[in-house]
């Protein structure tokens, strides 16, 4: 019963915090995009346009909720909540400080990889259930992309697991606090693994430069073509939560998680997560979208072989130098 | 007591979703119900103190196998709409075979004495790794060799339809050759 209360409290807390940060992230992204385009971004609603996300949500709530007549209604309506759930569920194993973690699973890394792999199903369901050619193409692209990038993601995540000797996310962070962060030493393993991990995470979250399933210049809006109002908003939220969680996981596995001087652990974790988050937006407004075949070539020709070498090298490092 | 309620719940989910897998008239629905069945199985593993097995179950079966099945349906079916009718033989034949299989399996389980510990043994992931990579290394490697052979075989089968390997090689410098991994039509 104690576990039940513990789980409910943490679960509720994580959802509230994630959704609040997501709303703020919308504002942050628009501000940042505005500055990068030499404009001001939102300025009207609230001080510095801070209430813009609230206005956006109110607008979306007013929109008509449409289910296309020829769509597979059950699947069409199932996809948006499923996507949001899959994105939020990953947050359960992230340690926000040495004591704040919702479920410190023994196989935490495996859990977040498995739930990440589930994340493609809602995207596919949306593509198929919409009964729309553009949505369908988006869904097919999403599956190909996700199945491919699953491989380098798992390989890159294995590097901190091998180096720290544990699959528990909190143990990996504790190891980094006691020794070195993964990206500082051995940096020749940590930095490439970190890079591959973040790339693959971005590809799984379908963010630019990997937002090929949506690709508004070629596929109208990809899988979200037929969605309106709050159902569309849920996809949007899922994408932001996914990016946020990916940043937190990257910070925990490679950047030392809550480890840092002067301030309590949670502030370090939040700071590292937000820096990675901002970096992802930076790339979003700097880079162009890959073509689908280029994306596959990048994955299978570069990331997968590099990942295999990194995993083997980590094992050698642990045996002979660790 | 609470663990029995949990087991009952998970078992019910597995049974009902499995029923939907075989009764669904829509192929995509059947595949998605299969995903529910597999996640239910993973939940069973988790309840039996085997979290590693549960994670691998979700990662490979739901994340890999179901996704590939879905992809297979998408690229091979001519879909005039969101429908993908599942064609199956007569219900009677299926019922007879299923009943026969059930009777045989039930008899086998009923007759063979399987001593079950009251408490499921707790094996850590570390112990599992040592078992796989120390004690049963030969079997483990033999299995991976088998899988590798299957992969190579699949690639050979899939590549047979390539028109000209020489020109394919040349096109590969700019863009990858048309293979099964490429999806954009």
């Amino acid at each position: 019963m104690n576990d039940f209360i513990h789980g409910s409290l943490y679960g509720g807390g994580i959802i509230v915090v994630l959704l609040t940060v997501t709303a703020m992230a919308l504002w942050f992204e628009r501000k940042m995009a505005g500055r990068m385009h030499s404009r001001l971004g939102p300025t009207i609603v609230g001080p510095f346009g801070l209430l813009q996300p609230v206005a956006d949500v109110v607008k979306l709530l007013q929109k008509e909720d449409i289910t296309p007549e020829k769509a597979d209604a059950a699947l069409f309506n199932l996809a948006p909540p499923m996507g949001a759930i899959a994105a939020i569920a990953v947050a359960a194993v992230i340690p926000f400080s040495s004591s704040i973690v919702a479920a410190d699973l023994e196989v935490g890394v495996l859990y977040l990889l498995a739930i990440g792999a589930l994340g493609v199903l809602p995207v596919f369901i949306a593509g198929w259930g919409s009964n729309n050619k553009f949505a369908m193409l988006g869904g097919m692209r999403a599956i190909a992309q996700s199945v491919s990038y699953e491989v380098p993601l798992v390989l890159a995540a294995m590097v901190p697991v091998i180096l720290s000797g544990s699959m528990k996310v909190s143990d990996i962070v504790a190891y980094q606090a006691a020794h070195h962060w993964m990206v500082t030493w051995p940096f020749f393993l940590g930095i490439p693994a970190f890079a591959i991990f973040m790339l693959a995470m971005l590809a799984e979250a379908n963010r630019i430069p990997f937002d090929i399933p949506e690709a508004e210049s070629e596929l109208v809006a990809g899988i979200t073509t037929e969605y309106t109002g709050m159902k569309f908003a849920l996809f949007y939220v899922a994408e932001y939560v996914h990016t946020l969680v990916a940043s937190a996981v990257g910070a925990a596995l490679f950047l030392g998680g809550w480890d840092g001087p002067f301030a309590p652990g949670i502030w370090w974790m939040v700071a590292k997560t937000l820096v990675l988050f901002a970096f992802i937006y930076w790339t979003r407004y700097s880079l162009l979208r890959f073509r689908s075949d280029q994306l596959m070539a990048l994955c299978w020709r570069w990331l997968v072989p590099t990942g295999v070498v990194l995993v083997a090298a980590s094992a050698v490092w642990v045996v002979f130098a660790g | 007591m609470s663990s029995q309620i949990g087991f009952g719940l998970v078992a019910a989910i597995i049974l009902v979703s499995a029923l939907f897998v075989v009764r669904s008239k829509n192929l995509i629905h059947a595949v998605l119900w299969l995903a529910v069945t597999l996640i239910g199985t993973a939940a069973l593993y988790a309840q039996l103190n085997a979290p590693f097995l549960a994670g691998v179950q979700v990662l490979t079966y739901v994340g890999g196998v179901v996704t590939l099945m879905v992809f297979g349906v998408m690229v091979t079916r001519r879909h005039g709409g969101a429908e993908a009718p599942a064609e199956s033989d007569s219900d009677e034949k299926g019922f007879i075979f299923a009943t026969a299989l059930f009777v045989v399996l039930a008899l086998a389980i009923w007759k063979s004495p399987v001593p079950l510990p009251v408490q499921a043994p707790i094996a850590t992931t570390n112990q599992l790794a040592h078992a796989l990579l120390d004690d049963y290394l030969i079997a483990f490697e033999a299995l991976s060799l088998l899988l590798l052979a299957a992969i190579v075989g699949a690639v050979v089968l899939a590549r047979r339809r390539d028109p000209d390997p020489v020109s394919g090689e040349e096109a590969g410098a700019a863009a990858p050759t048309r293979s099964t991994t490429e999806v954009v039509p």
Side-chain angles (χ1 to χ4, degrees), chain A residues 100-122:
Chain A
I100 305 176
V101 53
D104 201 8
L105 298 181
E106 197 199 355
V107 289
V109 175
L110 189 63
Y111 169 84
L112 59 91
L113 292 174
I115 301 291
L118 282 186
V120 69
L121 276 183

Side-chain angles (χ1 to χ4, degrees), chain B residues 37-145:
Chain B
T37 313
L38 293 169
I39 292 175
T41 321
L44 270 191
Y45 293 151
Q47 285 183 337
L48 291 170
N49 289 327
F52 185 79
L53 199 56
V56 170
Q57 165 89 5
V58 174
L59 188 64
T60 54
Y61 280 91
V62 186
V65 174
V66 166
T67 314
L68 285 179
M69 283 169 101
V70 155
F71 197 59
V73 175
M74 276 169 110
V75 294
T76 53
R77 288 263 158 178
R78 193 178 284 270
H79 28 73
E83 294 290 305
E87 292 133 21
S88 59
D89 238 345
S90 65
D91 286 349
E92 294 81 15
K93 265 190 258 177
F95 182 76
I96 292 169
F97 278 113
T99 316
L101 185 66
F102 177 78
V103 168
V104 170
L105 283 179
L107 273 178
I109 293 169
W110 191 258
K111 291 285 181 196
S112 52
V114 185
L116 283 180
V118 180
Q119 190 73 37
I122 298 172
T124 65
T125 314
N126 265 329
Q127 286 169 326
L128 199 64
H130 276 292
L132 279 180
L133 297 176
D134 272 349
D135 306 344
Y136 303 105
L137 180 64
I138 303 288
F140 185 69
E141 289 300 328
L143 268 182
S144 17
L145 209 63

Side-chain angles (χ1 to χ4, degrees), chain A residues 72 106 118 124 128 131 144 292, chain B residues 29 62 70 74 82 125 183-184:
Chain A
D72 189 330
E106 197 199 355
L118 282 186
F124 154 74
W128 176 272
N131 193 14
S292 208
Chain B
H29 286 193
V62 186
V70 155
M74 276 169 110
T125 314
V183 288
V184 178

Side-chain angles (χ1 to χ4, degrees), chain A residues 195-209:
Chain A
I196 293 178
F197 186 83
M198 287 316 286
L199 278 178
M201 269 290 202
L202 284 187
E204 291 245 306
N206 303 326
R207 295 306 309 247
I208 286 179

Side-chain angles (χ1 to χ4, degrees), chain A residues 148-208:
Chain A
S148 305
Y149 275 83
E150 195 71 26
V151 181
L153 184 69
V154 171
L155 290 173
M158 278 307 109
V159 171
V161 169
I162 292 175
L163 290 176
S164 67
S166 175
M167 271 199 159
K168 214 172 180 176
V169 183
S170 64
D171 278 0
I172 294 176
V173 178
Y175 171 88
Q176 295 180 83
H179 298 80
H180 302 275
W181 295 3
M182 292 295 168
V183 287
T184 55
W185 185 256
F187 62 85
F188 43 86
L189 296 175
I191 292 177
F194 180 51
I196 293 178
F197 186 83
M198 287 316 286
L199 278 178
M201 269 290 202
L202 284 187
E204 291 245 306
N206 303 326
R207 295 306 309 247
I208 286 179

Side-chain angles (χ1 to χ4, degrees), chain B residues 156-179:
Chain B
V156 168
L157 284 180
R159 285 198 69 90
R160 194 176 284 164
R161 267 166 281 150
D162 276 12
D164 187 9
V166 180
S167 64
E169 179 96 342
E170 240 177 33
T177 50
R178 301 263 157 195
S179 67

